[in-house]
Each structure stands twice: as structure tokens, then as C-alpha cells.
Amino acid sequence: MTPEPIFDLAHLGHMELLTPKPDESLKFFVDVMGMTVSGRKGESVYLRGWDDYERYSLKLTASKTSGMEHMALRARSPQALERRVAALKGSGFDIGWVDGDMGQGPAFRCRDPDGHIVELYYETEWYQPPPELKPALKNQAQRFPARGVNVRRLDHLNCLAVDIKANRLFFENYLGLRTTEQIVLNDGTEAAMWMTMSNKSYDFAYTRDHYGKAGRFHHVTYALDSREEILRAADIFLENGIHIETGPHKHAIQQTFFLYVYEPGGNRIEVANAGARLILAPDWKPIVWTEEERKKGQAWGLKTIESFHTHGTPPVTIG
């Protein structure tokens, strides 16, 4: 019998991105991506899209290298958080409680089988805009910035991993997430997974690390309202000298319309129009893509650029 789905976690709340070029990265996220600074502490700057309801969705931290320090998932209630903590304690994946960060209450940290740090929390500060950023419509978090790409909200992230199946089972069994789509190779090896906590088609994805290195990061994605805005973003990136890796184009898996760039610190950033597909079926069965199907490329037959499979952060030294 299939176990009953657990819906203790609500959504991807934020992630901490490491950069060896903090000033240049900050300028990219504020001036080019159109994000708003909502706090500073130590070596970190807290940023938000204009319709993120929480105080921030991106913590940008100065570091000797690039990559993701942690991802944070918000629980649906204090009780839901306690249930997930109870499931994790003694599992070998648990790290323990940490004090609340800016705009956030206490959080419980764990590591997935690949070593990525996953933070679970419930208490959060809803963003209160200052007078100059107060929107005309009260059901909007912040005034539209009219600056750069104008990203609306955090959508998802993608991590690299050595063993995709081990990570899938961890998120399903301990955190209660659902797998919506996956890639399975001819030999039965799981090469990628897309998972959700809600009716979104996915909150994050994991793909197999080309170099077999653990704990690396692929990209973080911010949502825009339309495909046309993705096309406009390409012009804005071009005007600002930002390296466009691939796109605008459409993924076959999840059907996301995408554009990938590298921010100055070396991390891959995606802007996407990803909000159309919803998983409403309570008995959804994961869509499985074969090795042959993936070799066909993206939705309209474009071959996936090689760097998309090889580039991740922190970088790998070859030789």
C-alpha cells in the first residue's frame, strides 16, 4: 500500500548563496535582477523579490568560494515542524536546532545524503514595506520596483548530488515530499528528480553531479509573470554584460520557460515563467523520462548546452 502523503512542509522559503565577489554579486541582484535589500548582518545581505511575502528569500553571504550554504523549508505549523524534527532525530541526518536568523524563528537543521544543509522553520516575519515601497494594492507584498528584470518571487532551486535515489528517499520518507517527475537511465539509475511540497509542480530538483562530487549547487530560480518578460530579461542581461548560458527556451520536463545566466560570483541563476502547471491530483504518479527521451533535448529539440551538465558551484578543480 502506498503510504499516505505527508504535508507538513509548505514551501521553499529561502536559500543562502555564497559568493567570492560580494559587492559585484549584490549589484547584480539589486540592479539587474531588480531585488530589494531587506536587511544586513555581518557578511550577509538579505534580499527579496517584490512579491515574496517573507522578509527575504535570498541570503547573500561573502565567502572564499561560491555555492549554497543552506536551503530553508517552511513548515505549515509549529506542530508540523515538531513532527518533522521527531522523524529526523536519530536518523543520522539530523544536525540540531539553531537560533533564528534575521526575520526567522528557531530552525532545525539536517543534511541530505549528499551533504546539503536543509533547514526547517515555522516562525517568520512577514515583510512590511517602508512608506516609499508600499504598494497601491494591499494584496501585493511590495511596490513593483521597475528596475532591471523585476523578479517577482523565489520559485525553486536545483542541487547536484552523487546518488539521486538516496536523496529522493530521504525527502520522501523524512520530510514527506512528493516526486512529480524524474529521469531514469536504461540501467535503472535515477539521474534526476523534481519534488514538491504543495500543488506547485516542483519546489526543487536534484540532478546527478557530472564529476561525482557531493554537496554542490546547480541553480536558483526566480519567477517572472510571462514568457515575454523572460525575453525582455535576455535583453537586460545583454545590456549589463551578464553571461547568458542558455535560453530563452522551454524545458521538456516540467515545461518551464527558462533563461540561465551566471552571476558575478559564478553561481548559475535562472529566471523562469513557471507558474502555469499545478499538481492537483492527490494520487499523482511521477512522470518518468527515459534516457532516449532526454537525449532528444529540450521541448523544441534544442540540444542542452554541455556546461549545463558540468557547471556547478563550488567549482571542481580538474587534474
Side-chain angles (χ1 to χ4, degrees):
M1 179 181 294
T2 303
E4 184 178 2
I6 302 166
F7 294 103
D8 280 345
L9 300 180
H11 63 87
L12 171 67
H14 65 267
M15 59 90 66
E16 182 174 4
L17 193 67
L18 305 177
T19 174
K21 298 181 178 180
D23 294 337
E24 294 176 48
S25 292
L26 179 60
K27 182 176 176 61
F28 166 83
F29 283 109
V30 173
D31 295 342
V32 182
M33 292 286 278
M35 299 181 74
T36 300
V37 173
S38 58
R40 297 174 185 264
K41 185 170 69 175
E43 294 296 310
S44 299
V45 181
Y46 299 78
L47 297 127
R48 51 178 285 101
W50 59 267
D51 208 21
D52 283 318
Y53 78 90
E54 295 180 89
R55 180 167 178 173
Y56 67 96
S57 58
L58 178 66
K59 180 180 180 181
L60 184 66
T61 300
S63 174
K64 292 182 179 180
T65 188
S66 51
M68 181 185 78
E69 197 281 334
H70 79 277
M71 71 170 85
L73 315 179
R74 191 179 183 207
R76 292 184 180 273
S77 67
Q79 296 84 358
L81 176 58
E82 290 297 336
R83 285 193 294 269
R84 291 308 94 214
V85 171
L88 285 162
K89 282 186 174 178
S91 65
F93 300 113
D94 51 322
I95 298 175
W97 288 97
V98 295
D99 293 335
D101 201 344
M102 182 176 291
Q104 178 193 311
F108 189 84
R109 285 194 165 191
C110 59
R111 290 186 187 273
D112 67 24
D114 207 67
H116 302 98
I117 298 175
V118 182
E119 188 173 279
L120 310 179
Y121 71 102
Y122 173 70
E123 295 179 21
T124 192
E125 177 185 340
W126 284 54
Y127 180 67
Q128 296 296 324
E132 68 273 15
L133 295 180
K134 188 174 181 180
L137 298 175
K138 64 190 298 184
N139 56 1
Q140 184 172 304
Q142 174 191 322
R143 175 176 293 184
F144 184 76
R147 183 180 63 249
V149 176
N150 297 294
V151 294
R152 182 166 192 153
R153 59 171 175 81
L154 174 63
D155 189 80
H156 68 270
L157 56 78
N158 186 316
C159 291
L160 297 169
V162 176
D163 188 336
I164 297 299
K165 182 177 181 179
N167 284 274
R168 176 179 61 79
L169 293 174
F170 165 78
F171 282 105
E172 288 178 346
N173 295 335
Y174 289 98
L175 301 186
L177 275 63
R178 291 193 295 169
T179 302
T180 58
E181 301 196 35
Q182 61 183 158
I183 299 173
V184 179
L185 304 182
N186 293 340
D187 64 3
T189 301
E190 296 184 20
M193 66 183 193
W194 286 257
M195 308 197 81
T196 186
M197 292 166 243
S198 64
N199 292 127
K200 280 183 62 183
S201 58
Y202 62 119
D203 286 284
F204 63 80
Y206 274 43
T207 50
R208 199 164 58 167
D209 192 287
H210 177 80
Y211 299 104
K213 301 292 185 180
R216 297 209 305 148
F217 177 69
H218 195 269
H219 71 266
V220 62
T221 302
Y222 275 83
L224 296 175
D225 285 343
S226 68
R227 292 186 181 186
E228 184 62 38
E229 289 193 32
I230 307 298
L231 299 176
R232 175 64 70 190
D235 288 333
I236 293 169
F237 289 133
L238 179 66
E239 294 288 0
N240 285 275
I242 302 300
H243 172 66
I244 296 175
E245 180 188 33
T246 184
H249 204 66
K250 179 180 177 178
H251 285 301
I253 297 176
Q254 302 290 359
Q255 300 192 30
T256 308
F257 197 79
F258 67 82
L259 173 62
Y260 291 96
V261 301
Y262 296 162
E263 59 88 22
N267 297 292
R268 181 187 285 104
I269 309 297
E270 180 186 24
V271 289
N273 178 227
R277 295 189 67 238
L278 296 175
I279 304 298
L280 300 177
D283 54 351
W284 178 267
K285 302 296 189 297
I287 304 299
V288 179
W289 297 82
T290 67
E291 194 169 331
E292 286 73 21
E293 288 169 333
R294 291 307 302 128
K295 286 179 180 177
K296 294 178 181 178
Q298 299 301 330
W300 298 313
L302 178 72
K303 184 182 185 298
T304 304
I305 192 169
E306 187 63 25
S307 62
F308 192 75
H309 299 299
T310 59
H311 179 85
T313 51
V316 170
T317 302
I318 307 300

